[in-house]
């Protein structure tokens, strides 16, 4: 092959169809280049010679390129761009062929044109060394009269010969050499002649090598069987031979005649072929036809294999891999003597005699090459051989019925590939221990067309359906698990436990043949065989076509002939190659081979092949269905500027096509799906038959109760292979494994364990549990002991697979391409399943549906009891644990109790909501199924007979500790201590009629010392014996200050008996000095709260719950980092909880949660910045109830509102309400300092940094503020400053309502005055209030315009300051309100500054009237409440500072307005 040689490829893609790419053969890096000069032309076919090529385009035009020496012009003898063959224009060419130096073309009408080199007559032109232009070749059949011209379908060209295939499927040849297959020695043959040897046979395809020819021929239809002769009628050697090995005898009928082709003198037209070698390895058995009956005389060898249990069998003597074609299947006997003995009693004397002769024939030791070739079966035939008769006689003699016991079974893809002759490790290698086992006669086509047929990867033709069934013998030579009996004597001698037989002669159903296209093909070859390219196992030439026996039954569909090698492509997408391998062109070993052998192409399956002088090309599947082009042959590598040639050992990938057509992929998918379906259905049928057998074998009541249509048997322990550990001596334990349950049957009872809730594990042998399997079910655990380790493995695998299948649902189709034996993983320990409990006392008859872990409910699930109870939520190791919902039906009320909340170890524990059937709802903490901790109980509805509400502490299902009880019907609210569900200890009661009681309670009654106030400020202090009933010593004080001391008895409001003294203190005091009403109020304020529960005792359970959440036993006792861990856990679990629930978190809420994941870290000195960070963290933490602090604040807000709204909105409770807030601040501050230990204690100072103090002006002095009022300048840390911004906005509505109620009278007086004074104009009011004229604004801005202040201007002066002060009502905390006041003062100063145009200092005398004006104009309705709220809750350290002075000014204004006299 020189540098001009090229390969070409036609691309298949939609847009790229018909493009030609060329590259140099043998080069290492393939970069195909487009062939120039063909733009826009679609090429349908390319044919290559050694230095030239032909292209056939759409429309039937032919182009030539390369070296064309037969052309006349020198410029035309070598062309790089294709040139059109003008002679052929107008003749529509359908196919072209190129020989080494000549060409041919066939037109649509079947006419042949030839041109090129004609030195050997290959162009069918006489006495002309070269034909420059295409010339018509006349092909006429002389046997017909008149002479008819023959229409040609296909043309093939070699080096010195040409073959043509006619429409009637006959071969015509011309040229020179034995490769013509003609009966002549006169060459060249320039007139096309018919190859008589193949006349009458249907030839499907022809191919020409340089000096050899190949034909693909359809097998003959089946004829009646006739015995064949015992001896070769040409060389007279026995057709059946025996070879003696060390431990067995090989019987073979694969006789090959050494004489090659013989022409019988007495039968000129009938060519009888005899085997050409007397060794069993020779494979050229020939076939022919006689005039009277067209059928083969010599049929393919037929052998029976007696296969041992051990690894013995026919393998290559040198240990090399086998040929990959099934072995010739020789009979194995121990020695010749045994065979002789075996045959003594046979009736057929002549057969016996011939066998004796054969046994004596000792063949010479075969060469390695022949040994490798020994592994080739013949095609399945129709007539019986002598050996067939022999074995049949043997069988009848010993009374053994020879039956077909072969069943294909649901073979996995892998098994099937072995079946076809490829092993899993090397494509094309197969162990040699194979003996042919053709399928026995089947009665009907239905039996033959089996679903197993489609196992081969690409055999998507229907023909496989019949082929595989009928050709079982030739495809796989030993069949597993087939029991049969041969002579017992022989069995004893050979010492084999089991014999395997198969039916000897396959039969094809004629009906099936008629219905299905046949792939039963033969390959015939002839010509020079020096390189083994004929495939007959020798290097002899053949003058006439001879069948390549080893390819019989291989379903060859396409042939390619190279220079000195041949390729055959089968329907299984495998390629067999033989002949010269000097460049590695065969695609396997380096040595040449004289018999076909499998090529090892890396791809998934070969679609087509092409052969050149010393190379082969394979188009094969890559991964993902992409086609790839593989090259096998000469490789040229450039090193040191020298050309070095090396050979490719196995085909190398040249080109991978990036895209596959959708049709291609569809075909792949369909084919694979079909294969999988076939496997799947056959498996289903097998399972059903096995199960049916079981029901028939074991009839009875127990098995009848187990029968279900969809149930399938997997295995059972009637062979005593499995027993129960520690079972009694006489107990019977039978285990049956179905596809849905494991059944444990005893004498009279049986129990069914569903597989979905069954766990199996092998026990370790250390614990003495040899061969033990531990079975776990939800309510039982037992150990099964198997008799052998194999039995244990079998059961473990069977149960595991059955459980796995049961969990996956129906055993659906396996994925295509996955094959049958998909590796199974262990069934999961954690799984979802449904189960009904039958003996667990707590769950008896309950149905559980959900997640499991090793036999216990674990994870999310639903449990339904028989009595209607239901739990839906999470489980842990068999018990309710985590968040869940529980329903209990109440038969009496025909409603249900409903609990939603947390569980622990099967009991309600943690926070939850319990709705009772009676209508009561409890929301709070539980422990051991009881209300325990802080909780809220609502009883009845407002319309029902006794609506009430309790919020407080519970201990073991009873109210104990501090709690608030709101009796809505009676309009009373109790705030105090409880014990065992009754009021016991100190408490406060308020009623909707304004009565207020504070004092001791005992068993739900006011009993002991107490204070009672009525709405009109009448006060009783003394003893009580029952609700609102005075009994004993006491003092009654009237609103005007008069009081009575003595003994009282009777119910308040319905007449009280008094024995005592009446005092009137005002008689003895100077009337002038007595301010109105104030003494009573201060007196009352002083008295209240003494007998109430102290604020720090209130809501202890709420705070304890928070401390517990942080992991502390008691407040302040615990590990800080553990507390932070608990906060992180709480946030994460709560977030996860919310994800599962329907209510989605808002975006801002999610952002808050994300920001809370960072813990504020403090290193070094504590600064104001760190303080601000803590403040920010607290604000975010309290924004989400998922954070423990947020949960605490949310609960406190709830209880506060519960206490102080409704009936609780009583002015007498103001003091309690304020004290309660201060108590909250103190206790939350303790929590914060526990989490942030760097935070200084209450009242400490954080020093200002230098930058923070610079440039701050004092309001009163104008100088830089030195903070002289505090010893050291800085920011004071207080719980008020830190926590009120978080807490007060939430508590503001009920608190402010109490202030408004308490200051109602004062504020009425104030408001009346404000309304009157506001009627005046600005100037009149300023003048009335005594504001100095110089401070009066001269001009004011009204709607952006500056206007002069006139006598009728109203609401214009100091407008910005007025607007600023009005903001006080929109703020919550005292600190914010004080800032508003400060800002108002600054606004006043700014206005005055604009008027005076000079710097000045305020004196209080000047400032007070101006500020009073602003307060009046601001018209703040509840100014008294605002003032008192600031007073009660402002930071103590602020009282003497700048803001403190300003606040005092505002307070003074408030009182001034109340007492203002209008003159």
């Amino acid at each position: 092959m020189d540098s001009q040689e090229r390969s070409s490829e036609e691309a298949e893609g939609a847009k790229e169809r018909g493009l030609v790419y060329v590259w140099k053969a043998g080069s290492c890096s393939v970069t195909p280049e487009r062939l120039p000069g063909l733009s826009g032309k679609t090429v349908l076919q390319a044919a290559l010679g050694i230095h030239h090529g032909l292209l056939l385009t759409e429309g039937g035009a032919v182009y030539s390129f390369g070296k064309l020496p037969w052309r006349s012009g020198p410029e035309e003898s070598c062309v790089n761009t294709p040139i059109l063959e003008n002679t052929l224009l107008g003749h529509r060419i359908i196919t072209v062929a190129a020989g080494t130096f000549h060409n041919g073309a066939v037109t649509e009408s079947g006419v042949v044109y030839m041109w090129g080199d004609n030195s050997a007559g290959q162009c069918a032109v006489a006495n002309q060394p070269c034909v420059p232009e295409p010339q018509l070749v006349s092909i006429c059949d002389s046997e017909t009269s008149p002479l008819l011209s023959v229409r040609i379908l296909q043309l093939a060209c070699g080096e010195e010969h040409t073959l043509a295939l006619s429409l009637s499927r006959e071969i015509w040849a011309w040229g020179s050499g034995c490769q013509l297959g003609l009966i002549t020695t006169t060459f060249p043959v320039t007139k096309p002649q018919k190859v008589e040897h193949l006349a009458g046979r249907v030839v499907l395809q022809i191919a020409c090598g340089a000096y050899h020819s190949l034909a693909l021929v359809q097998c003959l239809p089946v004829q009646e069987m006739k015995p064949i002769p015992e001896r070769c009628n040409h060389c007279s050697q026995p057709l059946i031979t025996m070879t003696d090995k060390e431990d067995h005898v090989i019987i073979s009928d694969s006789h090959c005649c050494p004489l090659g082709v013989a022409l019988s003198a007495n039968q000129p037209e009938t060519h009888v072929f005899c085997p050409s070698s007397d060794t069993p390895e020779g494979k050229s058995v020939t076939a022919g036809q006689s005039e009277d009956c067209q059928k083969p005389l010599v049929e393919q060898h037929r052998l029976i294999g007696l296969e041992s249990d051990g690894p013995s069998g026919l393998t290559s003597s040198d240990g090399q891999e086998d040929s990959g074609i099934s072995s010739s299947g020789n009979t194995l006997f121990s020695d010749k003597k045994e065979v002789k003995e075996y045959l003594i009693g046979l009736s057929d004397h002549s057969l016996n005699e011939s066998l004796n002769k054969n046994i004596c024939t000792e063949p010479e030791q075969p060469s390695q090459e022949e040994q490798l070739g020994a592994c080739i079966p013949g095609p399945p035939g129709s007539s019986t051989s002598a050996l067939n008769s022999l074995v049949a006689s043997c069988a009848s003699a010993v009374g053994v019925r020879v039956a077909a016991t072969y069943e294909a079974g649901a073979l996995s893809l892998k098994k099937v590939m072995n079946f076809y002759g490829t092993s899993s490790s090397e494509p094309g290698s197969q162990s040699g221990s194979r003996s042919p086992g053709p399928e026995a006669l089947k009665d009907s086509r239905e039996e033959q067309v089996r679903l197993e047929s489609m196992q081969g990867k690409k055999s998507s033709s229907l023909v496989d359906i019949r082929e595989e069934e009928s050709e079982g013998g030739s495809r796989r030579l030993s069949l597993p698990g087939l029991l049969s009996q041969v002579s017992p004597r022989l069995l004893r001698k050979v010492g084999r436990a089991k014999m395997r037989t198969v039916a000897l002669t396959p039969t094809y159903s004629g009906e099936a043949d008629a219905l299905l296209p046949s792939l039963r093909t033969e390959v015939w070859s002839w010509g020079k065989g020096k390189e083994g390219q004929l495939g007959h196992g020798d290097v002899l030439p053949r003058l006439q076509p001879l069948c390549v026996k080893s390819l019989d039954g291989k379903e060859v569909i396409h042939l390619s002939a190279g220079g000195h090698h041949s390729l055959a492509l089968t329907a299984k997408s495998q390629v067999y190659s033989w002949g010269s391998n000097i460049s590695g062109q065969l695609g396997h070993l380096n040595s040449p081979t004289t018999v076909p052998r499998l090529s090892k192409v890396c791809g998934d399956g070969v679609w087509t092949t092409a052969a050149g002088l010393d190379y082969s090309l394979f188009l094969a599947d890559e991964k993902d269905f992409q086609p790839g082009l593989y090259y096998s042959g000469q490789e040229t590598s450039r090193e040191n500027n020298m050309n070095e040639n090396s050979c490719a050992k196995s085909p190398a990938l040249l080109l991978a096509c990036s895209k596959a057509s959708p049709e291609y992929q569809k075909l792949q998918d369909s084919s694979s799906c079909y294969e999988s379906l076939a496997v799947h259905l056959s498996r289903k049928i097998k399972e059903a038959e096995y199960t049916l057998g079981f029901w028939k074998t074991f009839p009875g009541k127990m098995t009848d109760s187990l029968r279900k249509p969809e149930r399938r048997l997997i295995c059972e322990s009637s062979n005593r292979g499995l027993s129960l550990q520690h079972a009694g001596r006489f107990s019977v334990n039978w285990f049956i494994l179905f596809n849905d349950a494991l059944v444990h049957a005893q004498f009279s009872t049986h129990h069914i364990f569903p597989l979905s809730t069954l766990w199996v594990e092998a026990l370790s042998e250390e614990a003495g549990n040899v061969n033990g399997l531990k079975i776990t079910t939800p309510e039982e655990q037992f150990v099964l002991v198997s008799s052998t380790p194999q039995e244990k493995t079998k059961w473990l695998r069977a149960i595991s697979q059955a459980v796995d299948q049961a969990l996956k649902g129906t055993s659906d189709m396996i994925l295509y391409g996955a094959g049958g034996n998909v590796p199974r993983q262990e069934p999961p320990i954690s799984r979802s399943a449904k189960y009904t409990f039958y003996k667990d006392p707590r769950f008896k008859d309950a149905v559980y549906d959900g997640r499991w872990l090793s036999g216990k409910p674990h994870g999310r699930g639903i449990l339904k009891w028989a009595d209607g109870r239901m739990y839906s939520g999470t489980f842990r190791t068999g018990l309710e644990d985590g968040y869940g919902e529980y329903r209990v039906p109440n038969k009496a009320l025909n409603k249900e109790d409903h609990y939603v909340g947390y569980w622990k170890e099967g009991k309600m524990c943690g926070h939850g909501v319990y709705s009772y059937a009676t209508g009561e709802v409890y929301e709070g903490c539980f422990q051991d199924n009881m209300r325990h901790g802080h909780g809220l109980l609502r009883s009845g509805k407002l319309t029902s007979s006794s609506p009430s509400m309790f919020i407080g502490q519970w201990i073991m299902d009873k109210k104990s500790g501090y709690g608030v009880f709101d009796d809505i019907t009676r309009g009373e609210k109790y705030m105090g201590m409880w014990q065992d569900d009754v009021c016991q200890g100190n408490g406060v009661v308020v009623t909707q009629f304004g009565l207020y009681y504070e004092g001791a309670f005992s068993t739900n009654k006011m009993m002991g010392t107490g204070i009672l106030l009525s709405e009109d400020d009448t006060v009783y202090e003394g003893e009580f014996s029952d609700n609102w009933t005075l009994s004993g010593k006491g003092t009654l004080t009237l609103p005007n200050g008069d009081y009575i001391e003595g003994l009282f008895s009777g119910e308040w409001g319905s007449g009280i008996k008094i024995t005592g003294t009446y005092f009137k203190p005002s008689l003895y005091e100077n009337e002038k000095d007595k301010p109105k009403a104030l003494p009573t109020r201060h007196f009352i304020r002083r008295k209240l709260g003494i007998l109430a529960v102290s604020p720090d005792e209130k809501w202890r359970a709420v705070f304890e719950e928070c401390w517990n959440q942080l992991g502390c036993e008691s407040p302040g006792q615990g590990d800080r980092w553990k507390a932070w861990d608990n906060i992180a856990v709480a946030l994460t679990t709560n977030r996860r909880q919310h994800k599962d629930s329907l209510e989605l978190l808002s975006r801002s809420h999610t952002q808050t949660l994300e920001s809370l994941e960072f813990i504020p870290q403090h290193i070094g000195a504590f600064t104001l910045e760190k303080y601000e960070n803590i403040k920010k963290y607290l604000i975010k933490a309290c924004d989400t109830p998922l954070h423990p602090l947020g949960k605490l604040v949310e609960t406190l807000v709830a209880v506060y509102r519960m206490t102080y709204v409704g009936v609780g909105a009583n002015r007498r409770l103001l003091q309690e309400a304020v004290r309660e807030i201060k108590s909250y601040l103190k206790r939350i501050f303790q929590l914060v300092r526990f989490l942030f230990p760097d935070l200084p204690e209450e009242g400490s100072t954080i020093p200002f940094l230098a930058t923070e103090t610079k440039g701050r002006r004092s309001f009163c002095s104008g100088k830089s503020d030195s903070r002289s009022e505090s010893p050291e300048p800085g920011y004071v840390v207080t719980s008020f400053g830190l926590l009120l911004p978080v807490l007060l906005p939430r508590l503001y509505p009920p608190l402010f309502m109490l202030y408004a109620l308490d200051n109602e009278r004062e504020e009425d007086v104030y408001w009346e005055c404000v309304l009157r004074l506001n009627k005046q104009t600005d100037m009149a009011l300023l003048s009335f209030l005594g504001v100095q004229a110089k401070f009066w604004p001269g001009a004011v801005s009204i709607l952006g315009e500056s206007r002069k202040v006139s006598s009728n201007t109203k609401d214009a002066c100091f407008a910005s300051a007025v607007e600023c002060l009005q903001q006080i009502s929109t703020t919550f905390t005292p600190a914010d309100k004080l800032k508003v006041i400060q800002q108002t003062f600054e606004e006043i100063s700014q206005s005055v500054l604009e008027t005076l145009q000079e710097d000045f200092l305020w004196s209080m005398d000047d400032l007070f009237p101006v500020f009073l004006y602003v307060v009046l104009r601001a018209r703040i309705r509840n100014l008294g409440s605002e003032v008192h709220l600031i007073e009660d809750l402002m930071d103590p350290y602020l009282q003497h500072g700048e803001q403190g002075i300003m606040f005092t000014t505002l307070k003074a204004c408030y009182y001034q307005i109340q007492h203002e006299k209008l003159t």
Side-chain angles (χ1 to χ4, degrees), residues 102-401:
H102 71 293
N103 315 283
V106 182
T107 69
E108 209 169 16
S109 54
V111 177
V112 176
Y113 286 84
M114 301 294 299
W115 71 101
D117 179 40
N118 189 35
S119 54
Q122 59 262 54
C123 287
V125 178
N127 309 319
Q128 199 177 326
C130 130
V131 181
E133 296 293 335
Q135 198 164 323
L136 189 142
V137 175
S138 161
I139 305 174
C140 295
D141 194 345
S142 56
E143 291 176 8
T144 60
S145 58
L147 288 180
L148 289 176
S149 66
V150 178
R151 283 186 70 179
I152 299 301
L153 279 180
Q154 191 206 335
L155 208 58
C157 302
E159 186 153 328
E160 296 184 343
H161 73 299
T162 305
L163 299 183
L165 178 63
S166 72
L167 191 62
S168 55
R169 297 287 169 182
E170 294 175 316
I171 302 176
W172 295 76
W174 59 92
S176 303
C178 62
Q179 61 266 35
L180 294 180
L182 301 174
I183 313 163
T184 178
T185 49
T186 323
F187 299 117
V189 175
T190 55
K191 183 171 183 278
Q193 293 186 27
K194 190 194 294 185
V195 179
E196 291 292 348
H197 193 88
L198 285 171
R201 297 297 296 270
V202 175
V203 179
L204 303 172
Q205 188 216 332
I206 49 174
C208 292
Y211 296 101
H212 70 289
S213 305
L214 301 173
L216 185 64
V217 181
Q218 196 171 317
C219 288
L220 286 171
V222 180
Q223 306 287 344
E224 300 78 29
M225 300 186 184
K226 283 191 182 175
I228 59 165
E230 291 170 20
R231 289 182 174 274
C232 172
N233 56 4
H234 185 59
C235 67
S236 302
Q237 289 194 357
L239 292 179
I240 297 172
T241 56
M242 295 189 70
T243 313
D244 191 6
K245 299 284 181 191
E246 289 174 18
D247 58 345
H248 58 270
V249 174
I250 298 172
I251 300 180
S252 172
D253 67 345
S254 53
H255 168 66
C256 270
C257 185
L259 304 179
V261 183
L263 300 178
S264 175
N266 57 351
Q267 281 184 329
E269 291 194 10
T270 302
H271 311 290
V272 181
F273 297 90
C274 291
S276 57
S277 162
D278 62 350
T279 63
E281 284 73 31
K283 285 292 163 278
S284 48
V285 174
T286 55
Q289 78 264 349
S290 55
E291 273 177 324
D292 53 336
C293 67
Q294 291 201 348
K295 67 169 190 281
L297 288 173
V298 180
E299 242 339 309
Q300 123 270 13
H301 54 287
R302 177 69 64 228
L303 298 170
I304 178 145
L306 308 177
E307 191 176 334
S308 69
D309 290 330
S312 72
L314 180 70
T315 48
S316 337
S317 60
D318 57 354
Q320 279 201 16
E321 47 117 32
D322 212 338
S323 70
I325 303 176
S326 319
S327 89
S328 69
N330 299 313
T331 315
L332 311 181
F333 281 104
S334 296
D335 60 25
K336 287 181 280 187
K337 190 180 167 198
E338 273 185 34
V339 180
K340 281 186 188 175
E341 285 176 15
Y342 182 57
L343 302 169
I344 282 169
L346 296 185
S347 54
D348 189 341
H349 179 69
S350 62
L351 179 67
N352 195 355
E353 200 171 282
S354 74
L355 203 67
N356 271 331
K357 286 178 190 163
N358 281 348
I359 289 169
C360 305
T361 315
E362 260 309 308
E364 65 200 53
Q365 260 326 85
S367 68
Q368 174 193 326
E369 182 184 303
E370 291 171 321
Q371 189 91 21
L372 282 170
C375 315
I376 302 157
S382 44
S383 25
T384 46
S385 65
L387 188 61
N388 266 352
S389 333
L390 153 74
V391 179
S393 321
C394 296
S396 57
V398 293
V400 174
R401 182 166 157 266

Side-chain angles (χ1 to χ4, degrees), residues 62-74:
V62 178
Y63 291 81
S64 306
F65 64 95
K67 290 185 181 173
L68 314 172
W70 49 87
R71 281 191 169 258
S72 49

Side-chain angles (χ1 to χ4, degrees), residues 1255-1267 1269 1361 1378-1393 1399-1404 1406-1408 1410-1411 1441-1447 1449:
R1256 183 173 165 77
R1257 278 172 59 84
S1258 167
F1259 178 73
C1260 292
S1261 62
K1263 297 173 189 163
S1264 190
D1265 182 9
S1266 64
R1267 291 262 161 166
E1269 62 268 10
L1378 287 170
K1379 277 183 191 153
V1380 170
I1381 298 167
Q1382 186 178 347
Q1383 213 174 333
T1384 307
F1385 274 89
E1386 284 169 2
E1387 287 289 343
I1388 293 170
S1389 299
Q1390 192 63 35
S1391 300
V1392 173
L1393 206 64
D1399 211 349
F1400 71 100
L1401 286 176
W1402 282 111
S1403 69
M1404 196 45 85
D1406 293 339
L1407 180 61
F1408 185 77
V1410 180
F1411 193 61
E1442 195 179 74
Q1443 287 184 344
I1445 296 164
M1446 293 174 184
F1447 170 62
T1449 311

Side-chain angles (χ1 to χ4, degrees), residues 1078-1237:
L1078 284 175
T1080 317
R1081 181 175 175 172
H1082 281 274
F1083 162 79
I1084 292 168
R1085 277 210 162 184
R1086 200 167 58 250
K1087 292 279 184 193
L1088 291 189
I1090 297 166
L1091 294 173
V1093 179
S1094 85
D1096 290 350
E1097 284 299 309
K1098 294 180 181 179
W1099 314 119
R1100 288 184 69 167
V1102 178
F1103 282 95
E1104 277 168 12
E1105 201 183 309
C1106 183
W1107 282 106
N1108 289 341
Q1109 259 194 299
L1110 296 178
C1112 302
E1113 295 288 320
S1114 58
Q1117 302 300 307
D1119 177 13
R1120 179 167 69 95
W1121 286 113
K1122 190 181 171 195
W1124 279 110
D1125 285 347
N1126 287 346
I1127 288 172
V1129 168
L1131 286 170
T1132 312
T1133 49
N1134 284 327
R1135 270 180 90 171
R1136 201 173 292 147
Q1137 190 81 47
H1138 270 276
K1139 265 185 196 160
D1140 294 346
S1141 76
L1142 292 172
E1143 49 177 310
L1144 291 167
L1145 295 173
S1146 68
R1147 198 157 150 207
S1148 59
H1149 196 164
T1150 311
Q1151 285 172 345
T1152 303
L1153 288 174
E1154 283 169 2
S1155 62
L1156 284 172
E1157 287 172 5
F1158 302 101
I1159 303 168
Q1161 298 293 339
H1162 301 126
I1163 301 153
F1166 193 82
T1167 61
L1168 196 57
E1169 187 189 356
K1170 290 176 183 174
Y1171 174 78
E1172 289 299 330
N1173 284 343
I1174 292 176
K1175 205 167 176 178
K1176 281 178 195 162
Y1177 181 85
L1178 290 176
I1179 289 169
K1180 281 180 186 163
C1182 296
D1183 263 352
T1184 170
L1186 307 187
H1187 193 288
L1189 285 178
K1191 179 85 181 140
L1192 171 71
V1193 168
E1194 192 185 57
T1195 311
L1196 290 176
V1197 169
V1199 299
Y1200 192 83
R1201 287 182 176 173
M1202 278 282 302
T1203 312
Y1204 298 112
V1205 295
V1207 180
N1210 188 309
R1211 60 198 174 96
R1212 313 281 183 210
L1213 291 174
L1214 174 62
Q1215 237 183 317
E1216 279 300 299
V1218 173
R1219 284 181 192 158
E1220 202 169 308
I1221 286 181
K1222 289 181 175 174
S1223 166
Y1224 290 172
L1225 295 176
K1226 188 171 90 182
R1227 288 186 279 177
I1228 297 173
F1229 192 68
Q1230 186 187 3
L1231 271 164
V1232 175
R1233 283 206 65 216
F1234 171 71
L1235 290 173
F1236 300 101

Side-chain angles (χ1 to χ4, degrees), residues 1197-1327:
V1197 169
V1199 299
Y1200 192 83
R1201 287 182 176 173
M1202 278 282 302
T1203 312
Y1204 298 112
V1205 295
V1207 180
N1210 188 309
R1211 60 198 174 96
R1212 313 281 183 210
L1213 291 174
L1214 174 62
Q1215 237 183 317
E1216 279 300 299
V1218 173
R1219 284 181 192 158
E1220 202 169 308
I1221 286 181
K1222 289 181 175 174
S1223 166
Y1224 290 172
L1225 295 176
K1226 188 171 90 182
R1227 288 186 279 177
I1228 297 173
F1229 192 68
Q1230 186 187 3
L1231 271 164
V1232 175
R1233 283 206 65 216
F1234 171 71
L1235 290 173
F1236 300 101
D1238 302 358
L1239 186 65
E1241 57 189 21
E1242 180 96 30
S1244 308
T1245 307
I1246 306 168
F1248 277 119
L1249 296 173
T1251 54
E1252 285 164 354
T1253 56
K1254 199 182 289 178
R1256 183 173 165 77
R1257 278 172 59 84
S1258 167
F1259 178 73
C1260 292
S1261 62
K1263 297 173 189 163
S1264 190
D1265 182 9
S1266 64
R1267 291 262 161 166
S1268 54
E1269 62 268 10
S1270 58
E1272 181 188 323
Y1275 189 94
V1276 182
V1277 174
T1278 60
S1279 53
F1280 289 86
L1282 186 64
L1283 299 169
L1284 270 181
V1286 171
L1287 204 55
L1288 203 53
R1290 294 168 165 85
L1291 305 178
Y1292 197 77
L1295 177 65
F1296 198 75
M1297 175 59 83
L1298 290 175
Y1299 273 111
L1301 290 170
D1302 194 44
N1303 297 297
E1304 196 171 5
R1305 292 173 196 170
E1306 276 181 14
E1307 283 183 333
D1308 286 348
V1309 176
Y1310 149 82
W1311 189 242
E1312 194 187 344
C1313 197
V1314 168
L1315 292 177
R1316 266 184 303 156
L1317 289 171
N1318 264 310
K1319 288 174 183 169
Q1320 301 189 28
T1321 60
D1322 288 356
M1323 283 190 168
L1325 190 54
L1326 287 167
S1327 160

Side-chain angles (χ1 to χ4, degrees), residues 740-742 751-759 775-782 807 831-858 860-866 871 875 878:
D740 62 340
L742 176 69
H751 193 79
I752 300 171
F753 300 106
L755 292 183
S756 54
T757 52
L758 185 135
W759 285 257
I775 302 285
T776 307
T777 69
E779 295 172 271
E780 289 192 44
Q781 248 194 5
F782 47 91
L807 290 174
R831 58 180 79 153
S832 292
K834 196 170 186 176
Y835 179 80
T836 306
F837 290 88
Y838 61 92
K839 72 178 190 184
D840 185 297
R842 188 159 164 255
F843 295 149
K844 188 162 170 53
D845 297 329
V847 179
Y848 173 76
D849 188 359
R851 298 294 299 167
W852 295 80
L853 180 71
S854 303
K856 300 266 187 242
H858 190 95
R860 292 191 68 81
I862 297 175
L863 185 67
K864 292 180 182 172
W865 281 266
Y871 171 83
F875 288 79

